[in-house]
Amino acid sequence: MDEAEIAQLKALMEWEGTRSAPPEGFPKLPDMPAARYTSAEYFALEQTHVFRKSWLFAGHMDEIPEPGCYMRWHNAGDPIVIVHGMDGAVRAFHNTCRHRGAPVVTEDRGKASRLMCGYHNWTYKTDGRLVGVPERRDFPADFDLSCRGLLPVRCELFGKVIFVNFDADAMPLIDWLGPLAREWEEFAFDRIRLAARHSFDLNCNWKVAMEANMEVYHVPFIHPTTVAPLVDSARNLNTLYPNGHARMLAPAPQQTNREHVRAIDSPPGWQQIDSVGELGRTCTQSYTLFPNWVSPLSNFFVPPLVFWPTSLTTTRLELVTMALDWGDAPAPDLWTVPDASKPNGRQMSPIILEDTQFGEAIQLSMQSAAFRSVPLSYQEARIYAFHQSLDAMIGKSNIPGELRVEQVIGEAWVWPREPRLDQMERDRKAATQPAE
Ligand code: FES
Ligand SMILES: [Fe+2]
Protein backbone atom coordinates (compact mmCIF):
# COMPACT_ATOMS: atom_id res chain seq x y z
CA MET A 1 0.00 0.00 0.00
CA ASP A 2 1.59 3.30 -1.04
CA GLU A 3 2.02 6.40 1.10
CA ALA A 4 -0.83 8.30 -0.56
CA GLU A 5 -3.28 5.46 0.05
CA ILE A 6 -2.17 5.14 3.68
CA ALA A 7 -2.54 8.90 4.20
CA GLN A 8 -6.01 8.86 2.66
CA LEU A 9 -7.18 5.97 4.84
CA LYS A 10 -5.79 7.65 7.96
CA ALA A 11 -7.62 10.86 7.05
CA LEU A 12 -10.85 8.94 6.48
CA MET A 13 -10.56 7.22 9.88
CA GLU A 14 -10.15 10.62 11.54
CA TRP A 15 -13.12 11.94 9.60
CA GLU A 16 -15.25 8.97 10.70
CA GLY A 17 -14.53 10.04 14.27
CA THR A 18 -15.84 13.55 13.63
CA ARG A 19 -19.06 12.97 11.69
CA SER A 20 -22.35 13.51 13.50
CA ALA A 21 -24.51 11.31 11.25
CA PRO A 22 -24.01 8.60 8.64
CA PRO A 23 -22.22 9.88 5.51
CA GLU A 24 -24.34 11.94 3.14
CA GLY A 25 -26.10 9.76 0.64
CA PHE A 26 -25.48 6.54 2.52
CA PRO A 27 -28.71 4.54 2.23
CA LYS A 28 -30.97 3.83 5.17
CA LEU A 29 -30.66 0.11 5.76
CA PRO A 30 -34.06 -1.61 5.81
CA ASP A 31 -34.67 -4.13 8.59
CA MET A 32 -33.49 -7.60 7.61
CA PRO A 33 -35.99 -10.45 8.07
CA ALA A 34 -35.09 -12.60 11.10
CA ALA A 35 -36.23 -15.62 9.09
CA ARG A 36 -32.98 -15.43 7.14
CA TYR A 37 -31.45 -17.07 10.22
CA THR A 38 -34.22 -19.59 10.86
CA SER A 39 -35.61 -20.63 7.49
CA ALA A 40 -34.69 -24.10 6.24
CA GLU A 41 -35.50 -22.86 2.74
CA TYR A 42 -33.03 -19.99 2.94
CA PHE A 43 -30.41 -22.31 4.45
CA ALA A 44 -30.80 -24.68 1.49
CA LEU A 45 -30.42 -21.75 -0.92
CA GLU A 46 -27.19 -20.69 0.80
CA GLN A 47 -25.85 -24.21 0.55
CA THR A 48 -26.69 -24.57 -3.13
CA HIS A 49 -25.84 -21.13 -4.46
CA VAL A 50 -23.20 -19.80 -2.07
CA PHE A 51 -21.21 -22.66 -0.54
CA ARG A 52 -21.17 -24.65 -3.78
CA LYS A 53 -19.96 -21.69 -5.83
CA SER A 54 -17.57 -19.70 -3.62
CA TRP A 55 -13.87 -20.14 -2.97
CA LEU A 56 -13.59 -21.71 0.48
CA PHE A 57 -10.62 -21.93 2.83
CA ALA A 58 -9.48 -25.55 2.94
CA GLY A 59 -6.03 -25.64 4.48
CA HIS A 60 -2.37 -24.78 4.38
CA MET A 61 0.54 -26.32 2.50
CA ASP A 62 2.11 -27.26 5.85
CA GLU A 63 -0.62 -29.90 6.11
CA ILE A 64 0.50 -31.52 2.84
CA PRO A 65 4.12 -30.39 2.64
CA GLU A 66 5.60 -32.99 0.29
CA PRO A 67 4.63 -34.76 -2.93
CA GLY A 68 2.34 -37.64 -2.02
CA CYS A 69 0.91 -35.94 1.07
CA TYR A 70 -2.85 -35.75 1.28
CA MET A 71 -5.51 -34.50 3.69
CA ARG A 72 -9.20 -35.14 4.04
CA TRP A 73 -11.53 -32.16 4.11
CA HIS A 74 -15.27 -32.15 4.59
CA ASN A 75 -16.18 -28.78 6.05
CA ALA A 76 -18.56 -27.97 3.23
CA GLY A 77 -20.46 -31.23 2.93
CA ASP A 78 -19.01 -33.53 0.28
CA PRO A 79 -15.97 -35.50 1.44
CA ILE A 80 -12.89 -34.18 -0.32
CA VAL A 81 -9.26 -35.22 -0.46
CA ILE A 82 -6.61 -32.59 -1.15
CA VAL A 83 -3.47 -34.07 -2.64
CA HIS A 84 0.05 -32.75 -3.10
CA GLY A 85 0.74 -34.56 -6.36
CA MET A 86 3.92 -36.44 -7.18
CA ASP A 87 4.32 -33.81 -9.91
CA GLY A 88 4.22 -31.01 -7.30
CA ALA A 89 0.75 -29.71 -8.19
CA VAL A 90 -1.91 -29.41 -5.50
CA ARG A 91 -5.29 -30.84 -6.46
CA ALA A 92 -8.58 -31.64 -4.78
CA PHE A 93 -10.86 -34.57 -5.54
CA HIS A 94 -14.08 -35.98 -4.22
CA ASN A 95 -12.93 -38.65 -1.77
CA THR A 96 -15.27 -41.06 -3.46
CA CYS A 97 -14.08 -44.15 -5.29
CA ARG A 98 -15.48 -44.35 -8.80
CA HIS A 99 -16.28 -48.03 -8.29
CA ARG A 100 -18.84 -48.25 -5.49
CA GLY A 101 -18.24 -45.07 -3.58
CA ALA A 102 -15.98 -46.12 -0.73
CA PRO A 103 -13.60 -43.43 0.52
CA VAL A 104 -10.29 -43.47 -1.31
CA VAL A 105 -8.43 -42.21 1.75
CA THR A 106 -9.59 -43.00 5.27
CA GLU A 107 -7.11 -41.04 7.38
CA ASP A 108 -7.22 -37.31 8.00
CA ARG A 109 -3.66 -36.97 6.77
CA GLY A 110 -1.26 -39.33 5.09
CA LYS A 111 1.35 -39.85 2.41
CA ALA A 112 1.35 -42.25 -0.52
CA SER A 113 2.61 -42.24 -4.08
CA ARG A 114 -0.75 -43.64 -5.20
CA LEU A 115 -4.21 -43.56 -3.65
CA MET A 116 -5.81 -46.96 -3.23
CA CYS A 117 -9.41 -47.59 -2.26
CA GLY A 118 -9.54 -50.15 0.53
CA TYR A 119 -12.69 -51.90 -0.67
CA HIS A 120 -11.47 -53.55 -3.91
CA ASN A 121 -8.10 -51.81 -4.28
CA TRP A 122 -8.88 -49.60 -7.25
CA THR A 123 -5.76 -47.46 -7.51
CA TYR A 124 -5.44 -43.83 -8.56
CA LYS A 125 -2.40 -41.71 -9.33
CA THR A 126 -2.03 -38.51 -7.34
CA ASP A 127 -3.34 -36.60 -10.36
CA GLY A 128 -6.59 -38.54 -10.02
CA ARG A 129 -6.17 -40.95 -12.93
CA LEU A 130 -7.45 -44.49 -12.35
CA VAL A 131 -4.54 -46.80 -13.10
CA GLY A 132 -5.32 -50.07 -11.36
CA VAL A 133 -8.41 -52.30 -11.25
CA PRO A 134 -7.96 -55.80 -9.78
CA GLU A 135 -9.61 -58.62 -11.71
CA ARG A 136 -9.74 -56.40 -14.74
CA ARG A 137 -10.79 -59.45 -16.83
CA ASP A 138 -14.19 -59.50 -15.15
CA PHE A 139 -15.10 -56.06 -16.45
CA PRO A 140 -16.09 -55.62 -20.09
CA ALA A 141 -13.21 -55.45 -22.56
CA ASP A 142 -14.08 -51.86 -23.43
CA PHE A 143 -14.30 -50.72 -19.78
CA ASP A 144 -12.49 -47.39 -20.03
CA LEU A 145 -10.35 -46.53 -17.01
CA SER A 146 -9.48 -43.12 -18.45
CA CYS A 147 -12.97 -41.76 -17.84
CA ARG A 148 -13.22 -43.14 -14.31
CA GLY A 149 -10.61 -41.04 -12.55
CA LEU A 150 -11.36 -39.29 -9.27
CA LEU A 151 -13.73 -36.40 -9.84
CA PRO A 152 -11.87 -33.12 -9.39
CA VAL A 153 -12.83 -30.14 -7.25
CA ARG A 154 -11.33 -26.75 -8.13
CA CYS A 155 -8.31 -26.10 -5.93
CA GLU A 156 -6.09 -23.02 -6.02
CA LEU A 157 -3.50 -21.44 -3.77
CA PHE A 158 -3.01 -17.94 -2.47
CA GLY A 159 0.56 -18.16 -1.26
CA LYS A 160 0.57 -21.26 0.93
CA VAL A 161 -3.14 -21.13 1.71
CA ILE A 162 -5.33 -23.66 -0.06
CA PHE A 163 -8.82 -22.82 -1.30
CA VAL A 164 -11.37 -25.06 -3.00
CA ASN A 165 -14.48 -24.36 -5.06
CA PHE A 166 -17.13 -26.92 -6.04
CA ASP A 167 -18.10 -24.90 -9.10
CA ALA A 168 -16.11 -26.02 -12.13
CA ASP A 169 -16.98 -22.73 -13.85
CA ALA A 170 -16.02 -20.44 -10.97
CA MET A 171 -13.74 -17.49 -11.70
CA PRO A 172 -10.08 -18.04 -10.72
CA LEU A 173 -9.31 -17.49 -7.02
CA ILE A 174 -7.16 -14.47 -7.82
CA ASP A 175 -10.10 -12.77 -9.54
CA TRP A 176 -12.43 -13.72 -6.67
CA LEU A 177 -10.03 -12.00 -4.26
CA GLY A 178 -9.84 -8.97 -6.56
CA PRO A 179 -8.22 -5.99 -4.79
CA LEU A 180 -7.62 -8.08 -1.66
CA ALA A 181 -4.87 -9.98 -3.48
CA ARG A 182 -2.87 -6.75 -3.79
CA GLU A 183 -3.68 -5.52 -0.29
CA TRP A 184 -2.65 -8.88 1.19
CA GLU A 185 0.74 -8.98 -0.55
CA GLU A 186 2.44 -7.39 2.45
CA PHE A 187 1.19 -10.13 4.80
CA ALA A 188 3.49 -12.74 3.22
CA PHE A 189 0.93 -15.45 2.49
CA ASP A 190 3.73 -17.20 0.60
CA ARG A 191 5.90 -17.44 3.75
CA ILE A 192 3.51 -17.83 6.67
CA ARG A 193 3.27 -21.22 8.31
CA LEU A 194 0.29 -22.94 9.87
CA ALA A 195 0.71 -22.51 13.62
CA ALA A 196 -2.68 -23.57 14.99
CA ARG A 197 -6.00 -24.90 13.69
CA HIS A 198 -8.82 -25.87 16.06
CA SER A 199 -12.59 -26.28 15.73
CA PHE A 200 -15.46 -25.58 18.11
CA ASP A 201 -19.18 -26.28 17.71
CA LEU A 202 -21.61 -23.42 18.27
CA ASN A 203 -25.38 -23.59 18.68
CA CYS A 204 -26.45 -20.88 16.27
CA ASN A 205 -26.81 -20.20 12.59
CA TRP A 206 -23.43 -19.56 10.93
CA LYS A 207 -24.38 -15.96 10.12
CA VAL A 208 -25.22 -15.19 13.76
CA ALA A 209 -21.75 -16.39 14.73
CA MET A 210 -19.97 -14.65 11.89
CA GLU A 211 -21.67 -11.30 12.29
CA ALA A 212 -20.14 -10.83 15.75
CA ASN A 213 -16.95 -10.33 13.76
CA MET A 214 -18.34 -7.99 11.12
CA GLU A 215 -18.89 -4.82 13.10
CA VAL A 216 -17.05 -2.88 15.81
CA TYR A 217 -20.20 -1.40 17.38
CA HIS A 218 -20.01 -4.14 20.04
CA VAL A 219 -16.35 -3.64 20.90
CA PRO A 220 -16.66 -1.21 23.86
CA PHE A 221 -19.50 -3.26 25.36
CA ILE A 222 -18.49 -6.91 25.19
CA HIS A 223 -14.72 -6.46 24.90
CA PRO A 224 -14.04 -3.64 27.40
CA THR A 225 -10.70 -5.06 28.53
CA THR A 226 -9.64 -7.20 25.56
CA VAL A 227 -10.28 -5.46 22.24
CA ALA A 228 -11.46 -1.98 23.27
CA PRO A 229 -7.97 -0.86 24.40
CA LEU A 230 -6.76 -1.55 20.84
CA VAL A 231 -9.69 -0.42 18.70
CA ASP A 232 -11.26 3.02 18.59
CA SER A 233 -14.63 1.99 17.21
CA ALA A 234 -15.72 5.61 16.68
CA ARG A 235 -12.95 6.06 14.11
CA ASN A 236 -13.59 2.75 12.35
CA LEU A 237 -13.64 2.85 8.56
CA ASN A 238 -15.52 0.12 6.68
CA THR A 239 -14.69 -0.61 3.05
CA LEU A 240 -16.83 -2.81 0.82
CA TYR A 241 -15.23 -4.72 -2.05
CA PRO A 242 -16.58 -6.57 -5.10
CA ASN A 243 -17.68 -10.21 -4.63
CA GLY A 244 -18.97 -9.55 -1.10
CA HIS A 245 -15.64 -8.99 0.66
CA ALA A 246 -15.11 -6.17 3.16
CA ARG A 247 -12.60 -4.60 5.53
CA MET A 248 -12.71 -2.72 8.80
CA LEU A 249 -9.82 -0.45 9.67
CA ALA A 250 -9.58 1.34 13.00
CA PRO A 251 -6.80 3.08 14.87
CA ALA A 252 -6.02 2.47 18.50
CA PRO A 253 -7.67 4.85 20.95
CA GLN A 254 -5.71 8.09 21.24
CA GLN A 255 -4.32 7.12 24.64
CA THR A 256 -2.94 3.79 23.37
CA ASN A 257 0.26 3.29 21.43
CA ARG A 258 -0.87 0.22 19.57
CA GLU A 259 2.52 -0.71 18.18
CA HIS A 260 3.91 -0.63 21.68
CA VAL A 261 1.05 -2.80 23.00
CA ARG A 262 1.58 -5.39 20.29
CA ALA A 263 5.30 -5.49 20.93
CA ILE A 264 4.91 -6.20 24.64
CA ASP A 265 2.15 -8.79 24.35
CA SER A 266 3.98 -10.81 21.72
CA PRO A 267 6.29 -13.43 23.20
CA PRO A 268 9.91 -13.40 22.10
CA GLY A 269 10.64 -15.67 19.17
CA TRP A 270 7.53 -14.70 17.24
CA GLN A 271 8.79 -13.13 14.09
CA GLN A 272 7.28 -9.98 12.77
CA ILE A 273 6.26 -9.92 9.13
CA ASP A 274 8.65 -7.19 8.06
CA SER A 275 6.83 -6.35 4.86
CA VAL A 276 3.70 -5.22 6.75
CA GLY A 277 3.13 -1.50 6.37
CA GLU A 278 2.12 1.23 8.77
CA LEU A 279 -1.60 0.41 8.97
CA GLY A 280 -0.99 -3.27 9.68
CA ARG A 281 1.41 -2.34 12.48
CA THR A 282 -0.49 0.49 14.10
CA CYS A 283 -4.19 -0.13 13.41
CA THR A 284 -6.58 -3.03 13.67
CA GLN A 285 -7.78 -4.20 10.31
CA SER A 286 -9.97 -7.17 9.65
CA TYR A 287 -11.12 -8.57 6.33
CA THR A 288 -14.23 -10.54 5.55
CA LEU A 289 -13.53 -12.90 2.69
CA PHE A 290 -16.95 -13.84 1.38
CA PRO A 291 -18.65 -16.00 2.37
CA ASN A 292 -17.28 -17.38 5.64
CA TRP A 293 -13.76 -16.17 6.53
CA VAL A 294 -13.00 -13.22 8.80
CA SER A 295 -9.42 -12.37 9.62
CA PRO A 296 -7.56 -9.54 11.24
CA LEU A 297 -4.20 -9.09 9.54
CA SER A 298 -1.24 -7.64 11.37
CA ASN A 299 2.53 -7.70 11.45
CA PHE A 300 2.36 -10.82 13.65
CA PHE A 301 -0.41 -13.05 12.32
CA VAL A 302 -2.82 -14.10 9.64
CA PRO A 303 -5.43 -15.63 11.97
CA PRO A 304 -8.68 -16.43 10.13
CA LEU A 305 -11.91 -17.39 11.85
CA VAL A 306 -13.87 -19.61 9.49
CA PHE A 307 -17.59 -20.30 9.97
CA TRP A 308 -18.96 -23.59 8.64
CA PRO A 309 -22.70 -24.23 8.69
CA THR A 310 -23.27 -27.75 10.05
CA SER A 311 -27.06 -27.33 10.10
CA LEU A 312 -29.53 -24.45 10.09
CA THR A 313 -28.91 -23.85 13.80
CA THR A 314 -25.35 -25.11 14.32
CA THR A 315 -21.95 -23.91 13.21
CA ARG A 316 -18.42 -25.21 13.36
CA LEU A 317 -16.02 -22.39 14.09
CA GLU A 318 -12.48 -22.97 12.90
CA LEU A 319 -9.83 -20.89 14.65
CA VAL A 320 -6.63 -20.71 12.66
CA THR A 321 -3.34 -18.94 13.32
CA MET A 322 -0.75 -18.54 10.59
CA ALA A 323 2.53 -16.75 11.27
CA LEU A 324 6.15 -16.61 10.20
CA ASP A 325 8.31 -19.47 11.39
CA TRP A 326 8.52 -19.43 15.20
CA GLY A 327 11.65 -21.53 15.55
CA ASP A 328 11.89 -23.25 18.93
CA ALA A 329 9.38 -20.93 20.63
CA PRO A 330 5.83 -22.17 21.28
CA ALA A 331 3.73 -22.01 18.12
CA PRO A 332 1.58 -18.87 18.07
CA ASP A 333 -2.11 -19.51 18.69
CA LEU A 334 -4.07 -16.29 18.81
CA TRP A 335 -7.51 -17.75 19.41
CA THR A 336 -7.26 -20.76 21.74
CA VAL A 337 -5.73 -21.56 25.13
CA PRO A 338 -4.89 -24.87 26.83
CA ASP A 339 -7.78 -26.44 28.77
CA ALA A 340 -7.39 -30.05 29.91
CA SER A 341 -11.14 -30.34 30.58
CA LYS A 342 -11.99 -30.02 26.87
CA PRO A 343 -11.99 -33.00 24.50
CA ASN A 344 -9.27 -31.56 22.28
CA GLY A 345 -7.37 -29.97 25.17
CA ARG A 346 -8.06 -26.41 24.01
CA GLN A 347 -10.62 -23.76 24.83
CA MET A 348 -11.54 -20.64 22.91
CA SER A 349 -9.59 -17.57 24.03
CA PRO A 350 -11.32 -14.88 26.12
CA ILE A 351 -11.95 -12.70 23.05
CA ILE A 352 -13.65 -15.54 21.17
CA LEU A 353 -15.69 -16.49 24.25
CA GLU A 354 -16.85 -12.88 24.44
CA ASP A 355 -17.79 -12.86 20.76
CA THR A 356 -19.65 -16.19 20.88
CA GLN A 357 -21.39 -15.74 24.26
CA PHE A 358 -24.76 -14.60 22.89
CA GLY A 359 -25.00 -16.83 19.80
CA GLU A 360 -27.20 -19.58 21.19
CA ALA A 361 -29.60 -17.15 22.91
CA ILE A 362 -29.80 -14.99 19.78
CA GLN A 363 -30.68 -18.06 17.75
CA LEU A 364 -33.51 -18.90 20.18
CA SER A 365 -34.74 -15.29 19.98
CA MET A 366 -34.68 -15.40 16.21
CA GLN A 367 -36.83 -18.53 16.34
CA SER A 368 -39.32 -16.96 18.78
CA ALA A 369 -42.33 -14.93 17.75
CA ALA A 370 -40.86 -11.96 19.59
CA PHE A 371 -38.18 -11.13 17.09
CA ARG A 372 -39.10 -10.35 13.52
CA SER A 373 -36.41 -8.22 11.98
CA VAL A 374 -32.92 -6.81 12.38
CA PRO A 375 -32.25 -3.05 12.18
CA LEU A 376 -28.65 -2.18 11.34
CA SER A 377 -26.66 1.03 11.70
CA TYR A 378 -24.13 2.54 9.31
CA GLN A 379 -21.37 1.00 11.45
CA GLU A 380 -22.96 -2.41 10.81
CA ALA A 381 -23.12 -1.90 7.05
CA ARG A 382 -20.67 -4.73 6.41
CA ILE A 383 -23.34 -7.10 7.73
CA TYR A 384 -26.00 -5.65 5.46
CA ALA A 385 -23.65 -5.74 2.46
CA PHE A 386 -22.84 -9.38 3.28
CA HIS A 387 -26.56 -10.21 3.15
CA GLN A 388 -26.92 -8.34 -0.12
CA SER A 389 -24.08 -10.44 -1.51
CA LEU A 390 -25.72 -13.66 -0.31
CA ASP A 391 -28.95 -12.73 -2.08
CA ALA A 392 -27.13 -11.60 -5.21
CA MET A 393 -25.34 -14.92 -5.42
CA ILE A 394 -28.51 -16.93 -4.73
CA GLY A 395 -30.46 -14.90 -7.29
CA LYS A 396 -33.39 -12.68 -6.37
CA SER A 397 -35.92 -14.81 -8.22
CA ASN A 398 -34.92 -17.88 -6.18
CA ILE A 399 -35.68 -16.19 -2.84
CA PRO A 400 -39.21 -15.85 -1.44
CA GLY A 401 -40.03 -12.14 -1.06
CA GLU A 402 -40.36 -12.30 2.71
CA LEU A 403 -36.79 -13.61 3.03
CA ARG A 404 -35.00 -11.14 0.76
CA VAL A 405 -33.03 -8.06 1.67
CA GLU A 406 -33.36 -5.00 -0.52
CA GLN A 407 -30.24 -4.20 -2.52
CA VAL A 408 -29.92 -0.64 -1.20
CA ILE A 409 -26.13 -0.34 -0.95
CA GLY A 410 -25.21 0.36 -4.55
CA GLU A 411 -21.99 0.19 -6.53
CA ALA A 412 -21.28 3.78 -5.54
CA TRP A 413 -20.29 2.50 -2.08
CA VAL A 414 -18.12 -0.37 -3.31
CA TRP A 415 -14.34 -0.16 -3.86
CA PRO A 416 -12.70 1.56 -5.73
CA ARG A 417 -15.37 4.23 -5.32
CA GLU A 418 -15.13 6.23 -2.10
CA PRO A 419 -17.88 8.85 -1.83
CA ARG A 420 -16.83 9.75 1.71
CA LEU A 421 -13.76 11.55 0.31
CA ASP A 422 -15.87 14.38 -1.12
CA GLN A 423 -17.69 14.94 2.12
CA MET A 424 -14.44 14.82 4.07
CA GLU A 425 -12.99 17.47 1.78
CA ARG A 426 -16.07 19.68 2.11
CA ASP A 427 -15.97 19.31 5.89
CA ARG A 428 -12.28 20.22 5.90
CA LYS A 429 -12.88 23.35 3.83
CA ALA A 430 -15.83 24.37 6.00
CA ALA A 431 -13.69 23.97 9.11
CA THR A 432 -10.85 26.12 7.74
CA GLN A 433 -13.06 28.89 6.32
CA PRO A 434 -13.24 31.95 8.53
CA ALA A 435 -16.65 32.43 10.09
CA GLU A 436 -18.64 35.21 8.39
S1 FES B 1 -15.44 -49.15 -3.92
FE1 FES B 1 -13.42 -48.57 -4.28
S2 FES B 1 -12.54 -50.28 -5.20
FE2 FES B 1 -14.59 -50.85 -4.93
FE1 LIG C 1 -15.80 -9.00 18.83
Side-chain angles (χ1 to χ4, degrees), residues 211-216 218-219 222-223 226-227 305 351-352 354-356:
E211 288 163 11
N213 300 277
M214 293 173 72
E215 45 88 0
V216 295
H218 71 277
V219 166
I222 70 168
H223 302 301
T226 49
V227 182
L305 290 73
I351 291 177
I352 302 294
E354 287 167 356
D355 275 326
T356 54

Side-chain angles (χ1 to χ4, degrees), residues 151-434:
L151 291 178
V153 176
R154 292 278 300 282
C155 180
E156 294 179 14
L157 297 172
F158 184 72
K160 289 187 168 184
V161 183
I162 305 166
F163 290 85
V164 296
N165 193 321
F166 289 100
D167 181 3
D169 299 322
M171 67 177 81
L173 173 63
I174 196 78
D175 295 342
W176 175 255
L177 294 170
L180 273 52
R182 181 182 64 85
E183 293 182 13
W184 288 5
E185 270 171 16
E186 64 187 70
F187 296 98
F189 276 68
D190 55 343
R191 289 187 289 136
I192 48 172
R193 296 195 50 209
L194 180 65
R197 182 175 189 179
H198 302 287
S199 295
F200 297 87
D201 291 318
L202 307 176
N203 289 316
C204 60
N205 181 270
W206 69 283
K207 301 188 296 300
V208 170
M210 179 143 158
E211 288 163 11
N213 300 277
M214 293 173 72
E215 45 88 0
V216 295
Y217 186 19
H218 71 277
V219 166
F221 312 112
I222 70 168
H223 302 301
T225 61
T226 49
V227 182
L230 293 175
V231 174
D232 183 353
S233 50
R235 289 188 287 161
N236 176 63
L237 177 71
N238 289 324
T239 302
L240 308 176
Y241 296 95
N243 297 328
H245 316 315
R247 176 189 63 197
M248 60 74 57
L249 176 65
Q254 250 114 15
Q255 64 274 23
T256 311
N257 178 338
R258 191 181 193 288
E259 197 163 5
H260 179 65
V261 170
R262 292 311 297 256
I264 54 175
D265 73 8
S266 301
W270 293 7
Q271 277 197 67
Q272 287 200 54
I273 306 171
D274 290 336
S275 45
V276 171
E278 179 183 345
L279 297 179
R281 283 187 285 107
T282 60
C283 296
T284 294
Q285 56 181 337
S286 176
Y287 284 81
T288 312
L289 178 62
F290 187 85
N292 67 333
W293 145 312
V294 180
S295 182
L297 297 176
S298 76
N299 50 329
F300 285 103
F301 313 105
V302 175
L305 290 73
V306 195
F307 299 85
W308 299 106
T310 45
S311 75
L312 173 60
T313 57
T314 56
T315 298
R316 181 160 304 127
L317 169 58
E318 264 200 294
L319 300 172
V320 180
T321 301
M322 296 182 270
L324 286 190
D325 191 58
W326 47 91
D328 295 330
D333 185 340
L334 195 59
W335 301 132
T336 79
V337 291
D339 184 339
S341 73
K342 298 291 173 196
N344 62 1
R346 307 292 297 184
Q347 172 59 298
M348 295 182 272
S349 70
I351 291 177
I352 302 294
L353 288 173
E354 287 167 356
D355 275 326
T356 54
Q357 65 185 304
F358 294 125
E360 185 168 353
I362 290 172
Q363 187 66 34
L364 291 174
S365 292
M366 297 244 176
Q367 290 162 206
S368 80
F371 193 79
R372 302 278 168 77
S373 66
V374 182
L376 293 171
S377 70
Y378 163 67
Q379 266 305 357
E380 296 164 297
R382 282 186 293 150
I383 296 176
Y384 196 93
F386 163 64
H387 281 259
Q388 283 193 187
S389 298
L390 289 172
D391 280 14
M393 202 153 181
I394 293 168
K396 186 177 174 185
S397 61
N398 292 320
I399 309 171
E402 70 277 12
L403 291 176
R404 284 181 210 145
V405 292
E406 277 182 60
Q407 303 278 326
V408 297
I409 304 176
E411 288 290 309
W413 295 91
V414 176
W415 185 98
R417 297 171 195 86
E418 184 44 274
R420 291 169 292 196
L421 285 174
D422 282 347
Q423 190 181 354
M424 179 174 76
E425 190 55 24
R426 282 198 306 279
D427 288 355
R428 190 186 62 78
K429 282 191 180 138
T432 53
Q433 243 154 37

